[in-house]
Amino acid sequence: MRRWSHYLTCMMLLGSLNFVLPLIGAAQPPPPRPEPNLDKTLSPYFFVKSDHPQVDKLPLKRTGAKVTISGVIADVQVTQVYKNEGQNTLEAIYIFPASSRAAVYAMRMTIGQRTIEAKIEERKKARETYAQALAEGKTASLLEQQRPNVFQMNVGNILPGDEIKVVMNYTELLVPEDSTYEFIYPTVVGPRYSNQTAETAGTQDKWVANPYLEEGKDAPFTFSFGLTINSGIPIAKLTSPSHNIDIEYTGKTSAHIGLKESNQTNNRDVVIHYSLAGDKIESGLLMNIGKKEDFFLLMLEPPRRVAANMIVPREYIFIIDVSGSMRGFPLNVTKALMKDLLGNLRSSDFFNVMLFSGGNSVLAEQSLPATRSNLKKALALVGRQRGGGGTQLMPALKRAMALPRAEENISRSMVIVTDGYVTVEKDAFDYIRKHLNKGNVFSFGIGSSVNRFLIEGLARAGMGEPFVILNDQEAKSQAVQFKEYIESPVLTDIQVNFNGLKVSEVEPLSIPDLFAKKPVVVFGKYHGTPQGTITITGKTAGKPYQQKIRVSEEDITTQNQALRYLWARHRIMRLADMVKLSHDDKQVKEVTQLGLDYNLLTDYTSFVAVDTEKRADGKPQHTVKQPLPLPQGVSDAAVGGRMAVAKSAAAPGQPHRMTKGARRKGISRTDLMSAGSPALQPAREAEQALAIPKPDKLKSSKLKYSSTVLVQKIEGQMDKAQVEKEVSRYRNYIAHVIAKEGISGWYEIEIRVDPQGKITNIEVKKDSFKKRNLKAIITRLISRMKFGVTQDDKEAKIILVIKTTR
């Protein structure tokens, strides 16, 4: 019986490509017959709440962060409290973000009066330890890294009435830009687009299939935030572009920050900016004595900018995301940003604009001079965009890199504008590093909770700079900041020399060219007596540059324990980047060993905490994926507008509760019950031609079927998102005509499309319904579908699967 319940659950979780007809009455297995291999594409999906008494309530009750900033180092304590208010033993899964620079070094779990310190183990072993603990009836928690800025917490064997607290600690280095420090606490992971299936995706990609709340809905858990700054220099300015904050100054060099708003503000990053008196930065040398190893951190202020007229002509290719997740607020901000970016170009510059979603297009096949008429054309092109489709970054990136240079000896930069809701970070970093000769990469993240790992990684891989714009007011200031960066001469040919100080394993191995007023940061280990000088040399505007700092025992302290974590984290990031370029078992082992030696969360190491007491019977428990709010300003289009159902949404055999969001969109209760998805506008000509009844005309006796209509395969160069969108217009009608027949079965249909997107042939390859009239109606419905042109001007083939079970 449990296996059959699991089957029903899986049917309800067919996320982005199918929809669900709820099961009414007693569920029975489908008749045995060969079935097609359905393409269950990984996608985020909407959570639909049920008030049925047998359904367990969502376990995450509150989360919060306590931050302490000392000098240039931030230490963050994240607390998550889970409570089981239902009647069944639960396992909770919660996807949450952290800084992409975070070095996670500790975790502990508290049950009642008992606190269990988590152990760091190899990822596979940690999961095995967790699974064994659950089987033995012990409460356990598991913390895994799915991305450097995306973590997954599993807490299992939460008994009815239990309240379990899990605390995680991480540290990060704050590097100022233009004398301004920025601390960011991410609160929500935005939905990611993926074209992988559940079967082909790796273990670190399966989290993509996560439930989300509808646009504008608050999270079902509370959020708190507090930050304390202790600086060695008086604080001059303290602000937040993201939240209304309360500031309590406890001295000239210290302050405490809290949020003025209610605790339901966890749909966007908390961003804190502060600067020190006299535009100073806390540059200098930090040294730490450890139990086994000694570490140092050097931060030196770079040279000031020089006149912009010394800069050579430049070429910019703007690569703009116009996918569904960018619709509305993000795209509106993008348009404002592009107006400012293009307006800041000089007459000697060249530029081009590429738009991408499921496909891509360019303003011109070669970059154009930044004349008034060319800039006007570019702005008109961007202004017409509304947002829609998937987010295929890699084809756009490759095409942009392949565009010919405007001139032979020109400085070239790629400017990527996106919210970053993709899962191809590794591929993008890999490609950029292999094509550094094509130009620097600057990235603009648009939105209240962007994928900072992608935004920062793109810039890091391309030796450029990342920018994040939270709202339309910031677009102009960020465009000005970008202009200042590109007009500032870089500090080139940078060398760091250690005279009299014995060092090893220095990070980074080499220092890239620097833009603007950004300090030089160097980590490493030192040995023996701290003495001598550290000298940084380079060139600025073609002239020699030199800066020195003397080393003495006064720089040593035992309080900078974070240095060992920061050094190890920086080294892990570099090695992990190399692993992404080409898998190397030796480097994987090195990253794993660093994680184990320095007690750090990595791609290959995880934290696991297991209670010592047996508290449950060890039987399989109900797993609940904690739904997340959509980031502020992100529309339902980021999740494809579908209403797939979370596992805990409704008990088998129970109708789904109508949500306010569904009523707001004009969806009838019958629509929701029969399709499980928002009622898409029907094809009027199909309705008239086939005389298909409206949803509310179907008799309830006919609604005892669960139907799926999905795109199983595309052969040829077609935009998959556009194909799915067109198929979705006819899903309800196809489901209704089959339900009217009162039968179960499946079709496999081959659709041939010419280069202009016109259907040239429809052939039913497999048919278990065996009803000629039904086959004719389905074929006629499909013939009315209209697809976009193929991307390679060649024919394409679409395999469509239609399946109905009783």
Side-chain angles (χ1 to χ4, degrees):
M1 177 59 71
R2 178 169 179 80
R3 293 178 65 184
W4 174 236
S5 298
H6 178 69
Y7 170 80
L8 292 177
T9 302
C10 290
M11 289 300 295
M12 288 193 290
L13 284 173
L14 289 177
S16 65
L17 298 186
N18 55 341
F19 59 89
V20 181
L21 288 173
L23 304 175
I24 300 178
Q28 298 179 6
R33 55 166 51 95
E35 297 181 357
N37 182 19
L38 299 182
D39 179 15
K40 302 176 183 178
T41 305
L42 285 179
S43 291
Y45 53 93
F46 282 127
F47 174 80
V48 181
K49 185 179 178 181
S50 173
D51 289 336
H52 194 272
Q54 294 182 0
V55 177
D56 299 290
K57 295 184 177 180
L58 299 174
L60 181 63
K61 294 305 168 188
R62 62 182 183 273
T63 183
K66 182 180 179 182
V67 185
T68 301
I69 297 176
S70 299
V72 296
I73 297 173
D75 191 80
V76 184
Q77 178 176 289
V78 180
T79 301
Q80 299 168 4
V81 177
Y82 299 83
K83 187 172 183 180
N84 186 351
E85 297 177 340
Q87 303 171 8
N88 301 304
T89 300
L90 296 181
E91 178 190 31
I93 299 177
Y94 175 42
I95 299 294
F96 65 100
S99 167
S100 57
R101 300 186 296 269
V104 182
Y105 64 86
M107 186 183 87
R108 68 197 65 87
M109 176 177 69
T110 299
I111 308 170
Q113 301 301 313
R114 299 189 308 283
T115 297
I116 301 97
E117 289 290 336
K119 296 179 180 179
I120 192 76
E121 294 182 353
E122 291 188 33
R123 186 180 180 115
K124 182 179 179 182
K125 183 181 178 182
R127 183 157 278 279
E128 290 173 351
T129 300
Y130 174 77
Q132 182 179 351
L134 300 194
E136 293 174 353
K138 298 177 180 178
T139 298
S141 57
L142 175 68
L143 176 62
E144 295 177 310
Q145 176 176 298
Q146 309 296 19
R147 295 286 190 278
N149 65 338
V150 177
F151 302 148
Q152 177 172 314
M153 182 72 76
N154 288 50
V155 182
N157 277 336
I158 310 176
L159 274 60
D162 270 356
E163 182 170 287
I164 297 174
K165 181 171 71 173
V166 181
V167 177
M168 177 188 83
N169 291 87
Y170 71 84
T171 187
E172 69 172 292
L173 178 69
L174 303 181
V175 180
E177 294 185 10
D178 279 339
S179 303
T180 299
Y181 290 85
E182 180 179 64
F183 174 80
I184 301 166
Y185 181 74
T187 63
V188 63
V189 177
R192 302 293 197 266
Y193 170 82
S194 176
N195 56 11
Q196 298 185 77
T197 65
E199 290 76 17
T200 60
T203 57
Q204 289 172 288
D205 289 323
K206 294 185 184 296
W207 65 271
V208 172
N210 197 75
Y212 282 83
L213 303 171
E214 287 183 299
E215 180 182 357
K217 283 197 172 183
D218 287 335
F221 49 89
T222 61
F223 169 67
S224 61
F225 176 85
L227 182 147
T228 299
I229 298 176
N230 296 304
S231 172
I233 303 172
I235 300 171
K237 189 177 182 181
L238 189 53
T239 60
S240 172
S242 62
H243 290 72
N244 293 322
I245 57 175
D246 276 320
I247 304 174
E248 178 186 357
Y249 288 95
T250 54
K252 291 183 178 180
T253 62
S254 59
H256 180 75
I257 299 169
L259 303 183
K260 281 185 177 180
E261 298 145 300
S262 69
N263 52 24
Q264 299 286 1
T265 55
N266 48 353
N267 63 348
R268 60 192 185 275
D269 298 349
V270 179
V271 181
I272 304 296
H273 291 163
Y274 67 97
S275 56
L276 305 178
D279 284 339
K280 297 289 185 182
I281 68 171
E282 295 199 17
S283 60
L285 181 65
L286 297 177
M287 306 185 79
N288 172 252
I289 296 179
K291 293 180 180 179
K292 297 181 180 179
E293 299 172 307
D294 303 328
F295 295 86
F296 74 89
L297 184 152
L298 175 66
M299 184 179 289
L300 289 181
E301 192 169 352
R304 298 283 177 176
R305 300 187 184 98
V306 297
N309 58 11
M310 299 179 68
I311 305 302
V312 298
R314 295 177 180 270
E315 176 187 8
Y316 300 97
I317 299 177
F318 299 95
I319 306 170
I320 304 173
D321 182 354
V322 292
S323 64
S325 64
M326 293 287 288
R327 183 183 299 171
F329 158 74
L331 195 52
N332 291 338
V333 174
T334 298
K335 292 174 183 179
L337 172 68
M338 288 306 301
K339 183 177 180 180
D340 290 321
L341 290 179
L342 293 173
N344 283 328
L345 295 183
R346 298 175 303 177
S347 58
S348 58
D349 293 331
F350 292 81
F351 79 99
N352 208 336
V353 174
M354 169 175 284
L355 306 176
F356 76 93
S357 54
N360 57 72
S361 61
V362 290
L363 175 66
E365 291 302 323
Q366 186 167 349
S367 292
L368 305 172
T371 63
R372 183 175 295 181
S373 60
N374 287 336
L375 294 174
K376 186 176 180 180
K377 290 178 184 177
L379 289 173
L381 174 66
V382 175
R384 291 194 295 268
Q385 305 309 309
R386 296 294 177 266
T391 315
Q392 293 284 4
L393 172 61
M394 287 307 300
L397 191 58
K398 291 178 180 179
R399 185 178 180 186
M401 289 283 193
L403 290 173
R405 285 179 179 268
E407 293 181 357
E408 185 176 350
N409 297 315
I410 197 168
S411 176
R412 193 186 208 197
S413 294
M414 308 286 171
V415 183
I416 302 173
V417 183
T418 179
D419 53 16
Y421 294 165
V422 297
T423 56
V424 294
E425 295 101 331
K426 293 181 180 180
D427 296 334
F429 301 163
D430 181 4
Y431 187 81
I432 290 173
R433 285 191 181 90
K434 288 180 178 178
H435 296 80
L436 282 177
N437 61 328
K438 302 293 185 180
N440 292 322
V441 174
F442 292 85
S443 53
F444 281 83
I446 308 293
S448 58
S449 292
V450 302
N451 179 7
R452 290 179 184 268
F453 175 51
L454 177 74
I455 302 305
E456 294 171 3
L458 289 172
R460 185 171 61 247
M463 301 299 183
E465 289 291 333
F467 299 83
V468 174
I469 300 177
L470 304 173
N471 50 58
D472 51 1
Q473 288 79 22
E474 287 190 348
K476 183 176 289 294
S477 63
Q478 290 283 43
V480 170
Q481 186 179 357
F482 174 71
K483 177 176 180 287
E484 291 175 350
Y485 264 101
I486 62 176
E487 287 190 347
S488 300
V490 294
L491 181 62
T492 61
D493 299 331
I494 301 172
Q495 299 291 330
V496 181
N497 299 304
F498 300 90
N499 305 307
L501 180 66
K502 295 180 181 180
V503 300
S504 65
E505 300 181 83
V506 176
E507 297 287 336
L509 296 177
S510 61
I511 301 175
D513 295 346
L514 291 181
F515 288 86
K517 189 178 178 182
K518 185 174 181 179
V520 177
V521 180
V522 181
F523 300 92
K525 299 179 182 179
Y526 73 93
H527 313 277
T529 304
Q531 60 185 6
T533 59
I534 302 174
T535 305
I536 293 182
T537 60
K539 293 180 180 179
T540 177
K543 298 179 181 179
Y545 168 84
Q546 184 181 90
Q547 191 169 359
K548 291 185 178 182
I549 186 168
R550 294 194 176 278
V551 181
S552 69
E553 294 185 3
E554 296 178 358
D555 298 310
I556 299 176
T557 177
T558 58
Q559 298 179 356
N560 293 324
Q561 294 294 324
L563 294 187
R564 68 190 303 270
Y565 300 129
L566 295 173
W567 172 86
R569 176 62 174 166
H570 197 281
R571 189 171 182 85
I572 286 168
M573 289 179 68
R574 178 176 63 81
L575 289 169
D577 287 345
M578 294 171 67
V579 171
K580 293 164 190 172
L581 288 172
S582 60
H583 187 83
D584 186 319
D585 288 338
K586 183 179 179 180
Q587 290 171 344
V588 169
K589 289 180 181 178
E590 188 173 353
V591 172
T592 304
Q593 197 59 49
L594 281 167
L596 296 174
D597 290 345
Y598 293 91
N599 213 60
L600 291 178
L601 187 70
T602 71
D603 282 340
Y604 311 107
T605 54
S606 304
F607 281 103
V608 60
V610 178
D611 192 11
T612 55
E613 297 184 8
K614 179 178 179 178
R615 310 177 64 248
D617 55 17
K619 293 181 180 180
Q621 53 196 323
H622 294 264
T623 298
V624 179
K625 287 187 175 182
Q626 186 69 40
L628 304 177
L630 282 175
Q632 184 184 52
V634 175
S635 73
D636 287 346
V639 191
R642 300 167 183 85
M643 294 279 281
V645 185
K647 185 172 183 177
S648 64
Q654 297 296 330
H656 297 300
R657 180 174 176 264
M658 186 81 167
T659 66
K660 292 180 180 178
R663 289 194 293 269
R664 202 168 51 239
K665 292 180 175 64
I667 305 170
S668 71
R669 182 173 295 276
T670 309
D671 285 335
L672 187 59
M673 292 175 63
S674 62
S677 65
L680 300 166
Q681 285 297 322
R684 184 172 297 177
E685 69 276 13
E687 178 183 359
Q688 294 173 347
L690 301 176
I692 299 171
K694 292 185 179 293
D696 55 10
K697 297 297 183 181
L698 288 174
K699 296 180 180 179
S700 61
S701 61
K702 300 296 185 182
L703 295 177
K704 298 178 181 179
Y705 299 87
S706 175
S707 295
T708 59
V709 182
L710 57 88
V711 179
Q712 185 186 41
K713 186 178 182 181
I714 296 177
E715 295 181 6
Q717 299 297 314
M718 296 195 73
D719 186 336
K720 187 175 182 180
Q722 290 183 3
V723 172
E724 292 168 358
K725 182 178 180 180
E726 181 63 14
V727 170
S728 70
R729 294 178 64 231
Y730 292 83
R731 277 195 175 116
N732 284 356
Y733 275 85
I734 291 172
H736 295 333
V737 296
I738 295 176
K740 187 177 180 181
E741 294 292 333
I743 59 174
S744 60
W746 54 274
Y747 286 125
E748 181 178 305
I749 301 173
E750 178 185 284
I751 307 169
R752 291 189 176 273
V753 182
D754 68 14
Q756 285 71 47
K758 182 180 179 181
I759 295 176
T760 58
N761 187 60
I762 302 173
E763 182 178 355
V764 178
K765 292 289 188 179
K766 297 178 182 179
D767 176 9
S768 70
F769 289 105
K770 304 300 182 183
K771 284 221 170 189
R772 182 178 298 179
N773 291 341
L774 178 61
K775 179 179 176 181
I777 293 175
I778 297 297
T779 302
R780 289 170 63 191
L781 273 173
I782 293 173
S783 69
R784 286 166 168 77
M785 295 180 183
K786 298 177 181 179
F787 303 105
V789 298
T790 61
Q791 297 172 1
D792 57 357
D793 292 327
K794 296 180 181 179
E795 283 192 349
K797 183 167 65 176
I798 303 167
I799 305 298
L800 200 67
V801 171
I802 302 171
K803 179 182 175 184
T804 299
T805 57
R806 184 178 177 85

